[in-house]
Amino acid sequence: MKFFFSARYHKLMIAALSTVFVFMFTSVVPAASKGFKDTEYSWARDAIESLASEGIIGGYPDGLFRPEANITRAEFAKVIARAFAIRPSGEPRFKDVKKDSWARGYIAAVDDRGIMSGYPGGNFGPSRVVTRAEAAVALARCINLAGKLQPRTPWQPSFSDVAPGHWAFEPIEILNRLEVIPVHFGAVFQPAIPATRAEVASMVKSITDLKISDGKLSDFDSMYRTVTVKLLGGREETMSLGPDTEIFRNSVAADLDNLRKGDDVNIVATAYGEPKFISAKGIVTREDLMNKVSAISKGALTPQQVKALAEGRWNSVRDDLKPALEDRLLSYGLTAEEAESLLNQDWTHLGTLAKERLASALSQELGVSTDLVTAVMSKDWQKAKTYGEIELAGLLLSKFLNM
């Protein structure tokens, strides 16, 4: 019998074995702590002490760090602002941030950059705790990735409790692909629970260790899957892309061939230099539009199929699309035979009842009258024009009355 394990399972096993070995070799002679009295045996000790040595994170007057304590939004804002050297350009705009608050400048800084925002009513909530989901969103924003990517096919959830519809799904998936999420989270993320100081230290350290390259795309090679970027300082850097490197152009999933020389690019690589995300911006091309439509269809249509449909070459893609379209028609209440007739454009064998069911379904989905849909299906353009004019007049009248 064969067993197949996910990459995350392997990481968990490695982490567990590492913990055992660390315990074996440190149980007799404890390792010396470099700063805090209570981080000696913390799983995040190295991250905590590294950030502390850089002045990014601090402890308490009693010499403790309290790694398992919660972290407030004010404290988190300070860590983010220091870790990414973000300076405020003005004053905080929140009603609950007092003028004499020690966190005033840090809160203004993360707000200016759009990394952390406030709540309805104009408050920031500096003393409120930061949840794991909120921390993930802020960190993804720090590397300019959150809320900007539209994959060609939907990402499969890495955690059983963060579904694609969750408001923080994308940032959490991005951080997981960059190996920023602590391994001990396991198969559940628990997005709503407060993040601990140790968890924040671990994630901040991991994300500051990432290799980020910003600049202009000067060249790319599709055969060898390399990109050359002219960095902001003028130096050129060539990187090899891995099989799982995700490429986006103008926020939409793209192929390497879709990139254009001169594009503004942001490449985010792991601490080992392996590019995970390439985000490019440039003049909108026809390929961008096809990729956009493909992404909107959630991968049901490839960019090549979109192009064929746009050029009227239905027959070239009909066989590929037939299963998906057939399922959609069956969901409208048509029988398998009726769906087959419709896809083959065999109108003579499509019964009156099937036309009525299809017209009713399309009417609900498109938000127009059944009469208009029926007229279009029957190619009765004069009737369709009449119904269309009536509906347009009704729409304009309703908009006018609600002004």
Side-chain angles (χ1 to χ4, degrees):
M1 182 180 294
K2 294 182 178 179
F3 294 93
F4 297 90
F5 301 105
S6 66
R8 187 164 186 84
Y9 178 86
H10 285 297
K11 291 178 186 176
L12 287 170
M13 291 296 293
I14 292 170
L17 290 172
S18 299
T19 303
V20 172
F21 284 120
V22 168
F23 179 78
M24 288 171 60
F25 289 106
T26 60
S27 58
V28 178
V29 181
S33 176
K34 295 180 181 178
F36 305 108
K37 301 175 185 177
D38 57 348
T39 58
E40 186 175 334
Y41 296 109
S42 172
W43 61 271
R45 186 188 66 179
D46 289 345
I48 293 168
E49 294 182 347
S50 176
L51 295 181
S53 68
E54 297 177 45
I56 293 172
I57 202 165
Y60 295 91
D62 58 4
L64 300 177
F65 181 79
R66 298 190 178 97
E68 299 310 313
N70 299 332
I71 186 167
T72 66
R73 285 170 56 81
E75 292 170 336
F76 186 65
K78 174 184 175 181
V79 172
I80 292 297
R82 287 192 171 184
F84 293 92
I86 306 170
R87 299 184 183 280
S89 59
E91 291 294 315
R93 57 187 177 89
F94 304 106
K95 295 186 295 187
D96 58 347
V97 180
K98 298 178 181 179
K99 289 186 178 180
D100 59 349
S101 171
W102 63 267
R104 188 173 179 82
Y106 300 123
I107 292 172
V110 296
D111 178 47
D112 286 347
R113 284 280 295 271
I115 293 172
M116 293 180 72
S117 56
Y119 296 98
N123 291 326
F124 182 80
S127 61
R128 292 178 59 165
V129 297
V130 173
T131 66
R132 285 180 171 180
E134 289 171 337
V137 171
L139 290 173
R141 288 172 178 170
C142 287
I143 53 176
N144 298 316
L145 286 180
K148 297 182 179 180
L149 307 183
Q150 194 167 3
R152 186 167 293 160
T153 57
W155 286 339
Q156 293 302 307
S158 299
F159 302 95
S160 60
D161 57 347
V162 185
H166 191 279
W167 66 274
F169 174 77
E170 181 191 272
I172 290 171
E173 287 299 320
I174 288 171
L175 295 193
N176 192 49
R177 283 163 168 72
L178 291 169
E179 302 178 10
V180 170
I181 305 296
V183 176
H184 76 263
F185 280 25
V188 292
F189 189 83
Q190 295 181 282
I193 70 170
T196 67
R197 288 166 58 80
E199 290 167 355
V200 166
S202 173
M203 290 192 285
V204 170
K205 173 60 177 167
S206 294
I207 210 158
T208 54
D209 283 344
L210 297 176
K211 298 186 183 300
I212 300 177
S213 304
D214 288 313
K216 294 279 188 181
L217 184 68
S218 58
D219 200 4
F220 63 92
D221 190 315
S222 298
M223 179 178 294
Y224 294 102
R225 286 186 60 78
T226 62
V227 292
T228 301
V229 180
K230 188 173 184 179
L231 303 176
L232 299 180
R235 180 175 61 87
E236 285 198 343
E237 182 177 2
T238 300
M239 287 166 272
S240 297
L241 309 187
D244 60 346
T245 302
E246 300 203 47
I247 302 172
F248 297 85
R249 188 173 192 275
N250 292 327
S251 301
V252 183
D255 297 319
L256 187 54
D257 284 337
N258 298 146
L259 300 183
R260 294 289 180 269
K261 293 180 181 179
D263 280 352
D264 293 316
V265 290
N266 173 46
I267 302 177
V268 182
T270 65
Y272 306 106
E274 180 186 354
K276 289 291 185 180
F277 293 96
I278 295 180
S279 180
K281 291 182 180 179
I283 187 171
V284 177
T285 64
R286 183 178 182 181
E287 287 76 15
D288 288 337
L289 297 177
M290 291 189 295
N291 289 332
K292 180 80 170 177
V293 174
S294 177
I296 290 173
S297 74
K298 300 187 185 304
L301 295 171
T302 67
Q304 292 73 26
Q305 290 170 332
V306 173
K307 181 180 179 182
L309 290 174
E311 294 173 351
R313 294 184 285 110
W314 159 251
N315 289 332
S316 67
V317 297
R318 179 165 51 188
D319 290 341
D320 292 334
L321 296 179
K322 227 175 181 181
L325 293 175
E326 210 162 52
D327 290 342
R328 189 69 179 271
L329 292 173
L330 293 177
S331 72
Y332 288 155
L334 273 69
T335 66
E337 293 76 14
E338 290 167 345
E340 181 72 19
S341 297
L342 188 60
L343 290 173
N344 290 328
Q345 300 180 19
D346 186 0
W347 304 105
T348 57
H349 288 86
L350 188 63
T352 302
L353 184 60
K355 288 182 180 179
E356 290 175 356
R357 285 200 296 266
L358 181 60
S360 175
L362 290 174
S363 169
Q364 293 178 22
E365 184 156 321
L366 299 175
V368 298
S369 70
T370 306
D371 291 330
L372 177 56
V373 176
T374 302
V376 172
M377 289 173 60
S378 302
K379 296 185 179 180
D380 189 340
W381 305 117
Q382 184 56 45
K383 187 180 289 185
K385 180 175 179 289
T386 301
Y387 283 125
E389 289 171 347
I390 292 172
E391 291 197 23
L392 179 59
L395 175 65
L396 293 175
L397 183 60
S398 66
K399 292 290 185 185
F400 176 77
L401 293 175
N402 289 328
M403 287 180 63

